[in-house]
Amino acid sequence: MAKEGLGLEITELRLGLPGGGTEKNEKKRVFSEISEEEENEKSNGPPELQSKSQVVGWPPVCSYRKKNSFGDKDGSKTSKFYVKVSMDGAPFLRKIDLALHKGYSDLAKALEKLFGEALRDAESCEFVPIYEDKDGDWMLAGDVPWEMFIESCKRLRIMKKADAKGFGVLQSREALNGTLK
Amino acid sequence: MNYFPDEVLEHVFDFITSHKDRNSVSLVCKSWYKIERYSRQRVFIGNCYSISPERLIARFPGLKSLTLKGKPHFADFNLVPHDWGGFVYPWIKALAKSRIGLEELRLKRMVVSDESLELLSKSFVNFKSLVLVSCEGFTTDGLAAIAANCRFLRELDLQENEVDDHRGHWLSCFPESCTSLISLNFACLRGEVNLGALERLVSRSPNLKSLRLNRAVPLDTLQKLLMRAPQLVDLGIGSYVHDPFSEVYNKLKIAIQRCKSIRSLSGFLEVAPHCMSAIYPICGNLTFLNLSYAPGLHGNKLMKLIQHCRKLQRLWILDCIGDKGLGVVALTCKELQELRVFPSDPFGAGNAAVTEEGLVLVSAGCPKLNSLLYFCQQMTNAALITVAKNCPNFIRFRLCILDPIKPDPVTNQPLDEGFGAIVQSCKGLKRLSLSGLLTDQVFLYIGMYAEQLEMLSIAFAADSDKGMLYVLNGCKKLRKLEIRDCPFGDAALLEDVGKYETMRSLWMSSCEVTLGGCKSVAEKMPSLNVEIIDECEQMEFNLDDKQKVDKMYLYRTLVGHRKDAPEYVSIL
């Protein structure tokens, strides 16, 4: 669970000043810093095997064991968490199964895959992932632990940072730095 | 021997208990066949579709104990659709109609309905033992029928089944007159049980040797049960959560100390690590410890526990034990024969906490090691070569690297040499599972050296048909071969179709075999069922022989095509 400090990195990234984040000269990608971190940990397999959760039946653990030896949840890992994902500027919405992803960084990669073209074509590459929770409020993604997030997320929206000001979701960088202990 | 009356031969055959030996005995001559079949009480059928219940009953009228296996092994990993087959009902129905006095039924990977259980419970007066492993399709209502109707029940053993728990009263269905229980294992049930009924049942079962509880049984009930059953040999703890300063916990300590016969311990489905010291007094006698469902137990508490277990022969554990913890195992458990390390978080990149180091430590410290199942983050050739040298006695060697095509991280080479060392050194190796980056070379080694190999599991390996051919040509004792995601095609499949009749089964999924190739096998070998499992139903629209087959399962059979296959299975 301690690993989910990654949530903070998402917020930090989003408020990054233009050109002030990564030093590498790559195509500007929305969640590039987080994706890089995971890239370094993974081995050089073909792309379809890098996201282990996508390979059916691997690792070969029987389904009874899968449901019963990872934490105390009773079978909730087998349920699906499909939510709609919209992106400002993209012609249509997508759906994504949150249960298939292990954490925020994994989600970030998946969103990039889904909206890659639209992200690259957009003029300004600053985006904010927000989600609508069970109460109908729009929240910044990344604050709560992953498990809590997938339970409460009803839909996702990738919003242009420029539009975010009107939403009242973002704080000034100083205020946010204050909350990042 | 021909001059002895039948009764004498029968008496001699009584001493021959292994299935293989009895099968051999029956082949010697007609009279031995006849005597053997009338005296046979235990039959093992590794593939329920290889023979029919009617023929079984006809041949072995004295049958008392039947073991049946249904779905192929890869069904465990969701590679076989739910309703593929393996129904036990026709077997129970046929046995019930006959005069067979069934006493024991052991099933693995079969579909068991409540109806089957009810019929079973009512049809055999002397029924004593029901063992269900990795089965599905029944609810606690079926268990209630078994409890209520099997007056002489000795064993009810449920292992890793998917049971629909109606939270009913099944445990209360054991009548007061039922005092014969020796073994009761309901650890896989998720629902509540009537704790009072459980206590009374245990109280009136003086022969109870094995008791495995589910997580709905709290610690204070455990304490009461142990007080009533100090003769237990095998204990599975359900919930082990309590305040270590409470009266209940003190009582538990006393109760556990009385259980001097416990040799096998499992469960801890919910665990408070600070309560483990109560267990220490019995650890010194343990020969089997299964903590693979106890993710709450790790770090120092886990290591301290293991340090008390000097006589351990079998250890099942989660990988949160870490390489360091395996080092403790190596120092403490000098009698260790079997080690299984399961993943605690199979999808957590970088979270897996054991590597080749832990395995090397155990191999160095535990010279009697002969059976291994090891899920790990990575493996090196050097480590495997060392392990092969330290432990030449492996019978089962199953390695699972979480990234299935990961090379040796130090040299970036495939793991061919490492596994090659294992098969060359371990001359008695019967079961092997491979993973990591592997080329055709490893299969050359396997074909050359693995003379006793009976079961081989391959995934994401090899470069060409040669790999499969090396194995089929070399491993004379091969019985089960299961392959997924390898570049083996028709050339390999068709090279020696006669070989498949000497094996129980062959599974190939996501390989390069075509419909035409499979048809060819089916044509040449009428004694095989060649099943094509096509969930997406592509085959319906496109019957092109050149089309690749997603999943093929072939097995030898004496009774031809089965009639219970679902629509998406074609038997060629």
Side-chain angles (χ1 to χ4, degrees):
Chain A
M1 290 307 129
K3 265 220 153 205
E4 290 316 305
L6 286 172
L8 296 174
E9 285 159 78
I10 286 188
T11 53
E12 199 173 273
L13 179 69
R14 213 168 306 103
L15 294 179
L17 302 166
T22 164
E23 283 135 9
K24 299 209 175 140
N25 276 335
E26 296 175 354
K27 257 189 293 190
K28 261 197 190 173
R29 288 186 294 157
V30 179
F31 307 115
S32 56
E33 276 182 14
I34 292 165
S35 302
E36 266 161 44
E37 197 180 282
E38 287 217 346
E39 289 288 306
N40 293 337
E41 286 177 7
K42 290 197 162 105
S43 62
N44 298 321
E48 61 268 17
L49 288 176
Q50 279 181 355
S51 178
K52 290 170 202 135
S53 57
Q54 314 269 335
V55 180
V56 175
W58 196 271
V61 177
C62 72
S63 35
Y64 174 84
R65 187 171 283 283
K66 264 197 251 187
K67 287 180 193 160
N68 289 283
S69 60
F70 314 123
D72 285 330
K73 303 195 175 109
D74 44 37
S76 61
K77 287 215 194 257
T78 56
S79 50
K80 299 198 178 280
F81 286 96
Y82 275 104
V83 296
K84 287 187 196 168
V85 189
S86 61
M87 192 186 114
D88 293 358
F92 29 77
L93 280 63
R94 304 298 301 268
K95 265 211 162 157
I96 194 168
D97 180 1
L98 295 176
L100 274 186
H101 302 282
K102 329 154 207 157
Y104 288 108
S105 45
D106 204 32
L107 175 65
K109 288 183 84 167
L111 290 177
E112 268 196 54
K113 267 201 200 129
L114 279 185
F115 291 108
E117 269 191 33
L119 283 169
R120 281 189 289 277
D121 292 341
E123 280 173 13
S124 143
C125 282
E126 300 280 351
F127 287 93
V128 185
I130 57 173
Y131 69 100
E132 185 183 358
D133 75 356
K134 281 184 176 153
D135 301 324
D137 297 323
W138 285 92
M139 316 285 291
L140 196 63
D143 288 333
V144 300
W146 175 253
E147 283 74 20
M148 210 186 284
F149 167 71
I150 58 178
E151 295 276 327
S152 51
C153 171
K154 273 174 46 193
R155 56 184 300 174
L156 270 168
R157 178 177 160 192
I158 303 177
M159 189 169 68
K160 284 196 184 141
K161 185 194 163 194
D163 294 340
K165 296 205 174 103
F167 252 80
V169 164
L170 292 179
Q171 304 164 6
S172 66
R173 188 166 173 78
E174 290 76 28
L176 208 66
N177 276 341
T179 64
L180 301 175
K181 287 168 199 124
Chain B
M1 288 288 261
N2 281 336
Y3 305 112
F4 290 151
D6 289 358
E7 299 81 46
V8 175
L9 277 177
E10 217 181 285
H11 183 65
V12 173
F13 289 173
D14 274 350
F15 293 96
I16 302 171
T17 47
S18 101
H19 294 292
K20 274 194 189 144
D21 290 343
R22 290 206 72 122
N23 293 346
S24 306
V25 155
S26 68
L27 292 174
V28 168
C29 64
K30 274 198 185 144
S31 89
W32 279 36
Y33 177 88
K34 191 178 115 202
I35 298 167
E36 198 282 320
R37 74 174 254 257
Y38 279 111
S39 63
R40 178 104 105 175
Q41 293 187 342
R42 313 181 64 88
V43 175
F44 169 87
I45 297 177
N47 174 6
C48 64
Y49 291 119
S50 61
I51 191 73
S52 71
E54 290 74 24
R55 284 180 65 164
L56 170 74
I57 293 165
R59 180 168 170 190
F60 300 114
L63 183 68
K64 290 212 164 66
S65 161
L66 177 62
T67 303
L68 279 173
K69 292 190 180 180
K71 300 185 198 179
H73 177 229
F74 276 1
D76 284 352
F77 319 130
N78 294 333
L79 290 178
V80 176
H82 232 51
D83 46 348
W84 168 86
F87 308 104
V88 79
Y89 186 76
W91 290 85
I92 297 181
K93 185 158 156 225
L95 287 162
K97 258 200 287 192
S98 75
R99 287 205 221 119
I100 300 269
L102 195 68
E103 294 183 13
E104 177 178 283
L105 187 61
R106 310 167 73 94
L107 306 176
K108 186 166 185 180
R109 276 187 223 106
M110 294 202 69
V111 178
V112 181
S113 61
D114 283 345
E115 208 187 358
S116 326
L117 291 177
E118 208 180 309
L119 183 59
L120 177 70
S121 73
K122 292 184 174 155
S123 309
F124 306 103
V125 174
N126 280 326
F127 192 75
K128 297 196 171 74
S129 169
L130 180 63
V131 180
L132 302 177
V133 180
S134 300
C135 296
E136 52 167 348
F138 60 103
T139 77
T140 44
D141 293 349
L143 298 177
I146 297 287
N149 302 326
C150 300
R151 293 171 53 210
F152 303 112
L153 195 68
R154 292 195 197 159
E155 180 176 25
L156 179 59
D157 185 358
L158 308 171
Q159 298 176 32
E160 304 191 346
N161 301 290
E162 306 275 359
V163 185
D164 205 355
D165 199 323
H166 289 168
R167 281 151 222 260
H169 55 291
W170 70 274
L171 208 66
S172 321
C173 291
F174 281 104
E176 288 302 313
S177 55
C178 174
T179 57
S180 46
L181 270 183
I182 297 179
S183 166
L184 178 63
N185 173 6
F186 60 94
C188 64
L189 296 185
R190 305 234 185 109
E192 313 282 300
V193 288
N194 184 326
L195 299 176
L198 177 60
E199 287 174 44
R200 288 190 295 277
L201 179 62
V202 170
S203 296
R204 63 177 187 275
S205 303
N207 298 322
L208 194 67
K209 292 281 189 295
S210 168
L211 179 64
R212 296 193 185 187
L213 310 167
N214 75 348
R215 65 168 44 177
V217 180
L219 196 118
D220 57 336
T221 304
L222 172 67
Q223 175 263 322
K224 291 183 197 156
L225 294 172
L226 291 179
M227 288 302 284
R228 287 167 168 78
Q231 76 282 3
L232 283 179
V233 171
D234 168 32
L235 174 64
I237 292 181
S239 172
Y240 195 74
V241 179
H242 220 278
D243 175 359
F245 300 109
S246 66
E247 181 61 27
V248 170
Y249 186 66
N250 281 331
K251 282 193 193 166
L252 177 72
K253 280 196 212 171
I254 297 169
I256 290 183
Q257 279 175 1
R258 293 176 70 225
C259 297
K260 300 198 188 300
S261 305
I262 294 184
R263 298 286 174 271
S264 158
L265 188 61
S266 60
F268 297 95
L269 307 175
E270 273 175 8
V271 60
H274 42 271
C275 292
M276 293 314 286
S277 54
I279 304 289
Y280 294 163
I282 53 169
C283 286
N285 291 327
L286 290 181
T287 56
F288 177 40
L289 179 61
N290 180 357
L291 296 175
S292 63
Y293 287 104
L297 198 55
H298 48 258
N300 286 332
K301 299 285 182 194
L302 176 57
M303 288 201 248
K304 260 192 112 177
L305 181 71
I306 296 202
Q307 277 169 331
H308 283 86
C309 302
R310 302 200 154 270
K311 289 198 190 149
L312 221 51
Q313 293 173 11
R314 297 166 62 211
L315 176 62
W316 293 21
I317 198 92
L318 289 171
D319 63 3
C320 43
I321 191 176
D323 288 331
K324 198 161 147 237
L326 288 177
V328 173
V329 172
L331 286 173
T332 312
C333 309
K334 295 302 181 188
E335 302 298 311
L336 197 69
Q337 295 174 25
E338 176 178 319
L339 175 66
R340 297 197 189 190
V341 181
F342 294 97
S344 51
D345 179 13
F347 305 124
N351 278 347
V354 297
T355 69
E356 76 277 8
E357 288 180 18
L359 183 59
V360 169
L361 287 172
V362 175
S363 74
C366 309
K368 296 187 183 176
L369 197 64
N370 62 36
S371 175
L372 181 76
L373 171 60
Y374 197 73
F375 285 82
C376 59
Q377 170 82 326
Q378 63 183 45
M379 185 53 57
T380 64
N381 283 310
L384 285 173
I385 291 168
T386 304
V387 168
K389 228 186 312 175
N390 291 338
C391 297
N393 297 320
F394 275 114
I395 299 173
R396 273 169 245 109
F397 192 89
R398 299 160 67 187
L399 191 73
C400 179
I401 304 173
L402 292 179
D403 178 345
I405 53 168
K406 191 170 171 128
D408 179 329
V410 173
T411 62
N412 233 22
Q413 293 298 302
L415 292 177
D416 301 334
E417 297 306 309
F419 279 107
I422 294 285
V423 293
Q424 197 173 356
S425 165
C426 305
K427 307 213 185 303
L429 194 68
K430 287 193 181 166
R431 182 169 181 184
L432 178 64
S433 300
L434 307 168
S435 65
L437 186 65
L438 296 163
T439 71
D440 287 343
Q441 184 70 7
V442 71
F443 299 104
L444 174 69
Y445 292 141
I446 292 173
M448 243 195 320
Y449 296 114
E451 291 175 9
Q452 303 301 319
L453 196 65
E454 295 179 7
M455 181 170 178
L456 179 62
S457 310
I458 311 172
F460 303 101
D463 309 311
S464 74
D465 284 336
K466 278 203 230 144
M468 186 165 166
L469 289 170
Y470 289 141
V471 172
L472 292 176
N473 290 333
C475 301
K476 301 295 178 207
K477 298 211 176 163
L478 197 63
R479 290 190 299 115
K480 286 181 278 181
L481 181 57
E482 46 186 27
I483 305 170
R484 63 164 292 184
D485 294 89
C486 294
F488 302 142
D490 294 342
L493 179 69
L494 295 170
E495 167 86 0
D496 178 12
V497 293
K499 169 94 177 166
Y500 305 134
E501 216 177 26
T502 70
M503 293 166 53
R504 184 188 298 174
S505 64
L506 168 67
W507 169 281
M508 293 181 76
S509 59
S510 306
C511 296
E512 306 285 314
V513 294
T514 68
L515 181 59
C518 297
K519 278 187 186 170
S520 206
V521 177
E523 255 172 49
K524 295 185 183 155
M525 300 292 299
S527 58
L528 302 176
N529 275 355
V530 181
E531 297 194 7
I532 309 294
I533 299 168
D534 178 32
E535 291 164 272
C536 315
E537 294 183 43
Q538 292 163 347
M539 298 268 156
E540 269 197 39
F541 304 113
N542 182 3
L543 291 171
D544 179 10
D545 278 4
K546 291 205 194 58
Q547 183 168 10
K548 295 221 187 97
V549 160
D550 189 35
K551 294 174 182 168
M552 178 204 74
Y553 179 52
L554 65 80
Y555 51 88
R556 66 180 175 195
T557 177
L558 292 174
V559 290
H561 292 188
R562 61 183 174 114
K563 309 278 184 298
D564 62 358
E567 281 206 9
Y568 54 79
V569 172
S570 340
I571 307 182
L572 300 177

